[in-house]
Amino acid sequence: MVARVVPEYSKSAVGRASKLMGKGKGTLDELAEARAILSNFRSAHAFPLNAVTVTVRQKALRVNPNAVVAQRLKRLPTILDKLTRIPTMSVTTMHDLGGCRVVFETVDEVDELVNVLRELPRARNRVTRVYDYLRDSPGPKKSGYRGIHLAYEYGASKSEYHGLRIELQVRTQLQHAWATAVETMDLFSGSELKYGKGDPEVIRFFVLVSSLMACEERTAPVPGAEAPARDLLDELAKLEVRLGIVGRLQGYAAIVSSHATSDRRNALTLELRRGEGVLTVTVHETMAEAEARLTELESQNDDDLDAVLVNIARISQLQAAYPNYYADTSMFTDFVTSQIEGLSR
C-alpha cells in the first residue's frame, strides 16, 4: 500500500514558496526547496480528492450509469507555469490542485448531479461555491469554455487535510469535446487558446463553435457570439475555409494515436500548408535537429506555412489530462462539419 502524503508545511510556507517560484528569483537551493514544498502540498491533495471522487462517482452513476468519472492531481509543471504567468497567485488559493471530472450526455443530467451534490445532508466535504459557466454566475467564459464547477473543501475524518480544496467539473459530452479540441490545438500550435492567447481568428473559431453548441443545448451563448445561429454559422464556415481547423485537428489526432504511448523522447516538426490543407509530420532523433528544421522553415517567411515543434514527451500529457477521450476530437470535428453542411440544405 502506498503511504498517504500529508501536508508537511504551513500555508504561510507554501505561500512563500509560491511567490519565490512565481518570481523565479532565488538561489538554486532556495528554488529547489520551494519546489519540494509545492510538490508536497500538491501531493497531499490525493487523499481528499479520492474521498470526494468516491461520493461523486456514486451519485453520478445513479444519474446515468454511462457517466464518465475521472480524477487527477494537477501536474507540478502546470502549477509552476501558472505561478510564472500570475506571480501574485498562491498555490494555497488554487481550487483545482485536485480535480474530479464527470461527463454526461445531457445538460439535464449535469443539473441533476449538481443539485444532488449541493443538497447532500450531513456532507462533511462541503461544496463552498458553484460556478455555472452555462447560464450565469458567471456564465460562459469569453474563450468559449462552458460547464459547471463545484469547489469543495475537505472536512471529513482526517483532520490533517481539513481545508484542502478540490474542484469538480461537470460537463456534457459536447462541452468536453470542445475543451479537448482546444487542449489539442494548444499542444500542437503552441497557442494558449484556453487563456485567450493565440491567433485571433482561431480564438474566434472556437468561440463560434461553443456558442453553436450552446444553441444546441439551449443554454446561454458565449459573450460576443450572441447572434442568430445562421449568422454564427456563416462566419464559422468562412473561417474554416481560411483556417482548416477541422483538417488540422484530424491530423493532430492521428499523430497522438501514433505517439501518445511512445517511450521515446524525440521531437516532431509539423508543417501545415494552409492553402492546400496538407500537414507534414517529421520525426527527429534529437531536439537539436528539430529546432534546426524549425529555424529553416521559419526563415522562409511563407505566410501559407504554419510550422511548430512538439516534444513527443508532451503528447503523453494529453492522456493524463483526458484519460477517457484523450485527443479524440472526432465529436468536435463531426459537430463542426455537420453544422457547416447544414448551411447548404
Side-chain angles (χ1 to χ4, degrees), residues 222-235:
V222 178
E226 297 99 339
R230 179 77 188 197
D231 294 345
L232 298 178
L233 270 173
D234 284 339
E235 186 180 354

Side-chain angles (χ1 to χ4, degrees), residues 268-280:
L268 310 173
T269 49
L270 311 183
E271 305 167 31
L272 176 69
R273 295 284 174 182
R274 292 194 184 95
E276 304 166 25
V278 175
L279 179 69
T280 303

Side-chain angles (χ1 to χ4, degrees), residues 34-95:
R35 186 185 180 97
I37 291 171
L38 297 181
S39 180
N40 167 259
F41 188 68
R42 164 200 171 270
S43 297
H45 284 71
F47 183 85
L49 171 59
N50 190 61
V52 168
T53 303
V54 166
T55 299
V56 168
R57 179 177 285 109
Q58 179 189 47
K59 302 302 180 184
L61 295 180
R62 285 183 184 175
V63 172
N64 184 337
N66 295 317
V68 175
V69 183
Q71 67 183 78
R72 65 97 181 99
L73 285 178
K74 200 176 191 76
R75 297 177 60 258
L76 188 59
T78 305
I79 295 169
L80 298 178
D81 176 66
K82 191 169 187 177
L83 292 175
T84 302
R85 285 188 291 104
I86 315 172
T88 55
M89 175 170 280
S90 172
V91 170
T92 59
T93 61
M94 291 183 185
H95 286 167

Side-chain angles (χ1 to χ4, degrees), residues 270-315:
L270 311 183
E271 305 167 31
L272 176 69
R273 295 284 174 182
R274 292 194 184 95
E276 304 166 25
V278 175
L279 179 69
T280 303
V281 182
T282 306
V283 180
H284 301 274
E285 291 301 320
T286 67
M287 185 63 72
E289 287 180 16
E291 289 171 348
R293 176 59 177 164
L294 184 64
T295 300
E296 178 188 341
L297 293 169
E298 289 176 339
S299 68
Q300 296 176 17
N301 292 320
D302 185 347
D303 290 338
D304 187 54
L305 175 63
D306 185 8
V308 68
L309 184 156
V310 178
N311 188 331
I312 288 181
R314 290 184 61 218
I315 296 179

Side-chain angles (χ1 to χ4, degrees), residues 232-248:
L232 298 178
L233 270 173
D234 284 339
E235 186 180 354
L236 180 69
K238 290 171 184 173
L239 282 175
E240 172 57 21
V241 168
R242 284 206 298 276
L243 302 172
I245 299 293
V246 169
R248 287 202 224 182

Side-chain angles (χ1 to χ4, degrees), residues 255-263 312 315-319 326:
I255 294 167
V256 170
S257 66
S258 301
H259 296 284
T261 58
S262 172
D263 58 1
I312 288 181
I315 296 179
S316 62
Q317 295 168 14
L318 269 184
Q319 190 170 15
Y326 76 92

Side-chain angles (χ1 to χ4, degrees), residues 60 63-68 102-114 134-135 146-148 170-176 213 216-219 325 331:
V63 172
N64 184 337
N66 295 317
V68 175
V102 180
V103 181
F104 284 119
E105 294 175 10
T106 68
V107 172
D108 285 345
E109 291 171 346
V110 169
D111 289 337
E112 184 178 346
L113 178 65
V114 170
L134 295 182
R135 304 173 189 86
R146 298 183 309 122
I148 298 182
V170 192
R171 304 171 178 166
T172 64
Q173 292 174 352
L174 268 186
Q175 293 154 22
H176 188 71
M213 288 178 169
E216 190 95 351
E217 297 182 329
R218 300 187 179 182
T219 58
Y325 297 115
M331 179 176 282

